[in-house]
Amino acid sequence: IPDRGLRRRLPYIQAPTLLVQGADDGLVTAPYAEEFARLIPDAKVATIAGAGHYPMLDHEDAFIAVVDQFLGG
């Protein structure tokens, strides 16, 4: 993924941020999620085993569970 200034802008995010990563995502691999989380203040990464690029579709229940936990549910 080419950097078109995103790297410089990520540190300005102030909202609580959860990055949900499919463990089998072949398009946006784990190092991208980890780097985004490093650059976004206090960001969290949740990896869903067996999910690809669309974890919200591949494993809907697991996706809802990690988002619900992040939101304090």
Side-chain angles (χ1 to χ4, degrees):
I1 297 175
D3 181 3
R4 303 205 190 288
L6 183 59
R7 178 179 296 278
R8 290 188 318 271
R9 294 189 307 266
L10 290 175
Y12 293 106
I13 295 173
Q14 296 180 7
T17 303
L18 174 65
L19 302 159
V20 181
Q21 171 76 33
D24 298 332
D25 189 337
L27 183 60
V28 181
T29 58
Y32 278 105
E34 293 164 7
E35 181 67 0
F36 281 23
R38 187 183 73 75
L39 294 170
I40 299 169
D42 301 317
K44 308 286 186 241
V45 177
T47 301
I48 298 179
H53 188 63
Y54 297 105
M56 70 291 283
L57 301 176
D58 296 341
H59 293 286
E60 182 179 349
D61 291 339
F63 178 83
I64 291 170
V66 298
V67 171
D68 188 51
Q69 181 180 13
F70 178 75
L71 295 175

